[in-house]
């Protein structure tokens, strides 16, 4: 939307140029040259910089001291921590702005689903919302797209059931994220890495995948704790909130019985360390995640 305030056609070869952090690292003057250049066809130009990292901080600070009065630079970046020099520089600048796009966790997705459907006059039952929150986690745009598709599918029918959701959501209903989680926990290494690659190709953020894995192993750990306190396996699983989706309940129980506390604690520690590593500037996030998924699934 912001880009289209500058140019009407985002594919315009004369008024739109796409750069990357690596290109600018090799040729720092390129940013100033593109930003200060006049369009051959008239009008303002758009400069898109992809893969923004802290390597751009000095370059952008220098540019913002004397920016183009017409042309616009948009930098797209992954998750930048509060310590990121690039994020700090943009947030502090009077002539720049940082726009965050937060990845929703399961609870956040649930709240968004309820609010959106309720505002449009729909009622959704417990199994259906559980299925949705477990399978369309991601940024708000992705969640809203799936909800719009669901409402279009429902038409005049206002009571949404699990069957409605599964029929509407389609490919996501096969639960690629769930498949990954249970493949890792079940020691299915080949399935796990295929599921991970598919999720990345669909645009799911690594941090969302890591947190889903952490949540899964925490549930297993917590369930084993309930059993040590005297609860039977079935009773312990039934007490979980939100409840385990019925289609994977048997697989979850099997993993509770097979994962011991020492290995669970080591796995949770590994995932926490991995999340911290992926937030470091320049970290090879997908390589680190792939290696962790392989290691954890193979250790089962």
């Amino acid at each position: 939307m912001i880009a289209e305030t500058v140019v009407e056609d985002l594919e315009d070869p004369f008024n739109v140029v796409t750069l990357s952090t690596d290109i600018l690292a090799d040729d720092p003057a390129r940013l100033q040259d593109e930003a200060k250049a006049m369009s051959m066809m008239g009008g303002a130009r758009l400069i898109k910089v992809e893969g923004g990292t802290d390597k751009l901080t000095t370059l952008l600070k220098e540019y913002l001291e004397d920016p183009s009065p017409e042309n616009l630079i948009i930098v797209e970046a992954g998750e930048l921590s509060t310590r990121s020099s690039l994020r700090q520089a943009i947030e502090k600048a009077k002539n720049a702005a940082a726009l965050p796009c937060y990845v929703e966790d399961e609870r956040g997705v649930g709240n968004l689903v309820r609010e959106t459907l309720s505002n449009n006059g729909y009622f959704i039952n417990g199994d259906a919302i559980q299925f949705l929150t477990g399978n369309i986690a991601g940024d708000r745009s992705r969640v809203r797209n799936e909800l719009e598709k669901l409402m279009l599918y429902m038409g005049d029918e206002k009571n949404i059931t699990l069957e409605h959701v599964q029929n509407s959501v389609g490919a996501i209903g096969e639960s690629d994220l769930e498949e990954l989680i249970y493949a890792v926990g079940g020691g299915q290494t080949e399935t796990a890495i295929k599921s991970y690659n598919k999720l990345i190709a669909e645009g799911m953020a690594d941090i969302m995948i890591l947190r889903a894995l952490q949540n899964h192993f925490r549930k297993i750990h917590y369930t084993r704790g309930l059993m040590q306190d005297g609860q039977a396996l079935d009773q312990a699983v039934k007490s979980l909130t939100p409840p385990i989706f019925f289609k994977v309940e048997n697989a979850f129980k099997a993993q509770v019985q097979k994962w011991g506390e020492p290995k669970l604690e080591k796995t949770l520690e590994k995932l926490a360390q991995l999340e911290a590593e992926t937030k470091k500037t320049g970290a090879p996030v997908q390589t680190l995640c792939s290696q962790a998924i392989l290691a954890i699934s193979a250790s089962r």
Side-chain angles (χ1 to χ4, degrees):
M1 290 171 63
I2 294 172
E4 288 177 347
T5 66
V6 180
V7 293
E8 293 183 359
D9 180 5
L10 299 184
E11 302 299 324
D12 185 336
F14 297 103
N15 287 346
V16 179
V17 61
T18 301
L19 305 173
S20 68
T21 297
D22 291 338
I23 289 174
L24 295 176
D26 293 337
D27 184 9
R30 179 82 180 273
L31 184 67
Q32 287 279 3
D33 292 343
E34 295 288 358
K36 296 296 180 68
M38 296 181 64
S39 170
M40 293 175 59
M41 309 302 292
R45 300 180 75 240
L46 173 69
I47 296 87
K48 293 168 57 182
V49 181
E50 298 177 340
T53 69
D54 287 349
K55 293 179 181 178
L56 292 175
T57 304
T58 301
L59 198 58
L60 284 172
K61 278 185 174 180
E62 292 174 353
Y63 171 74
L64 290 173
E65 291 176 0
D66 182 27
S68 167
E70 293 183 348
N71 299 335
L72 177 68
I73 295 177
I74 295 180
V75 179
E76 296 178 357
E79 185 167 345
L80 300 178
S81 73
T82 54
R83 298 187 300 274
S84 164
S85 61
L86 177 61
R87 176 175 167 178
Q88 291 178 4
I90 297 300
E91 289 179 338
K92 291 176 182 178
K94 295 181 179 180
N95 53 355
L99 299 179
C101 180
Y102 294 109
V103 172
E104 297 281 4
D105 59 15
E106 193 166 316
R107 179 177 297 177
V109 171
N111 291 336
L112 179 59
V113 168
R114 290 187 188 93
E115 180 182 344
T116 302
L117 294 177
S118 176
N119 289 344
N120 286 275
Y122 292 91
F123 172 79
I124 182 168
N125 68 27
D127 285 344
I129 199 167
Q130 183 185 338
F131 183 90
L132 277 171
T133 57
N135 292 303
I136 61 172
D139 64 47
R140 286 185 171 235
S141 176
R142 183 183 183 195
V143 175
R144 287 198 176 100
N145 285 341
E146 291 303 323
L147 293 179
E148 287 175 6
K149 188 165 67 175
L150 173 60
M151 289 186 286
L152 183 63
Y153 171 81
M154 293 300 298
D156 294 332
E157 173 62 49
K158 296 298 182 180
N159 292 315
I160 301 174
T161 67
L162 175 61
E163 184 178 1
H164 291 139
V165 171
Q166 290 174 325
N167 290 338
S168 166
V169 173
I172 293 181
E174 296 173 9
S175 183
D176 296 325
L177 183 57
E178 191 172 81
E179 181 180 60
L180 168 64
I181 291 167
Y182 280 89
V184 172
Q188 300 170 318
T189 304
E190 185 176 347
T191 300
I193 202 64
K194 284 183 179 179
S195 298
Y196 172 73
N197 290 334
K198 185 176 181 181
L199 287 167
I200 294 301
E202 291 175 349
M204 181 167 284
D206 287 280
I207 190 66
M208 190 66 227
I209 295 171
L210 289 178
R211 288 176 181 169
L213 285 168
Q214 289 174 333
N215 186 48
H216 179 69
F217 285 105
R218 285 194 193 104
K219 284 182 180 178
I220 294 175
H221 192 270
Y222 179 71
T223 304
R224 289 187 63 87
L226 293 176
M227 293 171 64
Q228 288 178 352
D229 290 340
Q231 292 190 25
L233 174 59
D234 287 348
Q235 181 185 5
V237 172
K238 292 295 184 186
S239 67
L240 295 176
T241 303
I244 300 299
F245 189 52
F246 72 91
K247 286 191 174 182
V248 294
E249 189 172 309
N250 289 336
F252 181 80
K253 289 178 181 178
Q255 293 184 18
V256 169
Q257 292 176 310
K258 292 180 179 178
W259 279 84
E261 279 77 11
K263 190 171 288 186
L264 279 169
E265 290 169 2
K266 188 175 293 185
T267 298
L268 286 168
E269 183 180 355
K270 179 191 287 287
L271 289 169
Q273 290 175 345
L274 177 59
E275 181 175 342
E277 285 293 318
T278 60
K279 293 179 179 178
K280 294 180 180 178
T281 301
V285 177
Q286 292 183 12
T287 299
L288 292 173
C289 289
S290 297
Q291 290 173 346
I293 287 169
L294 288 170
I296 294 170
S297 59
S299 71
R300 220 290 283 135

